Amino acid sequence: MGKNKKVKWGWTTALLGAASATAAAAIITARPRDPTFHLTSISLNSLKLNLPVPVLDAELILTVHVTNPNIVTVHYSSTEMPIFYAGSLLGSAHIGAGSQAPKSCRHLRLPARLSALELAHHAAKFAADVGRREMVLDAEGDIEGAAKVLWWDHKFRVHVDSHVVVDPVFLDVVDQENKAEVEMFVG
């Protein structure tokens, strides 16, 4: 019948097994995860007279809570996030270049400028929104950057879609739906 074979193992086999298990665990936990964004507050910073057409533009500060669920620090470049009202470009928010530590949360204060002239084009809708105390704003844009893993920089793009309902009288955030999707680039 069959002979019993003795399996020989040594430290080399054990180290290879441990390295394989560690590499598999790193691959499973290192897959990029989508960050989360949550608008926590809006505050009026100033009103500026825009000449030659005498219209006041609003300068706001948007406070956004951002979570990086990934196991690496991410570095991102500056960008402008367009803000839409009733399908028209109302203004934009500036996101400055920066970085965020792994598995961390932080608040970003984003300066935004909204055009009163563009809002005037939707005066009837805006008046109705003020009466209901609900104004719908949408923002959509891409944030690009890199995540460094060991000595490689992995470039990425985060596409952000935000749908926010704001009380136009007190600038309170009533409701919101935010989606962010990470796209990694190889090469």
Side-chain angles (χ1 to χ4, degrees):
M1 315 275 165
K3 293 184 178 180
N4 289 341
K5 288 187 178 181
K6 278 193 169 181
V7 177
K8 282 190 171 183
W9 70 272
W11 285 109
T12 303
T13 306
L15 288 175
L16 283 174
S20 298
T22 302
I27 288 170
I28 290 168
T29 60
R31 68 176 169 71
R33 292 185 173 89
D34 296 337
T36 59
F37 299 87
H38 186 80
L39 181 63
T40 57
S41 69
I42 302 171
S43 57
L44 182 63
N45 197 29
S46 67
L47 294 173
K48 297 237 174 166
L49 184 60
N50 189 3
L51 296 173
V53 179
V55 179
L56 289 175
D57 287 343
E59 290 189 359
L60 307 169
I61 298 294
L62 308 176
T63 304
V64 179
H65 182 260
V66 182
T67 302
N68 174 14
N70 296 293
I71 62 171
V72 296
T73 298
V74 293
H75 304 276
Y76 49 90
S77 59
S78 65
T79 190
E80 293 292 321
M81 185 72 65
I83 299 171
F84 299 92
Y85 175 67
S88 298
L89 181 63
L90 182 61
S92 64
H94 177 74
I95 301 171
S99 64
Q100 186 158 343
K103 303 264 187 197
S104 68
C105 300
R106 68 187 277 203
H107 283 90
L108 297 178
R109 294 176 46 84
L110 310 177
R113 185 170 201 161
L114 303 181
S115 168
L117 182 59
E118 188 56 47
L119 195 57
H121 292 321
H122 302 284
K125 179 169 178 28
F126 181 65
D129 288 350
V130 169
R132 279 194 339 254
R133 298 196 45 195
E134 286 189 0
M135 178 180 184
V136 177
L137 299 173
D138 293 299
E140 179 179 344
D142 294 323
I143 302 168
E144 296 184 356
K148 191 168 191 126
V149 179
L150 299 176
W151 51 87
W152 291 295
D153 278 340
H154 295 280
K155 294 184 188 255
F156 67 86
R157 178 183 310 138
V158 177
H159 182 75
V160 178
D161 280 315
S162 292
H163 179 80
V164 180
V165 179
V166 176
D167 177 345
V169 176
F170 294 111
L171 297 178
D172 291 330
V173 178
V174 176
D175 191 21
Q176 64 185 299
E177 181 181 343
N178 301 302
K179 295 178 189 168
E181 291 182 20
V182 175
E183 179 183 1
M184 296 294 292
F185 299 108
V186 180

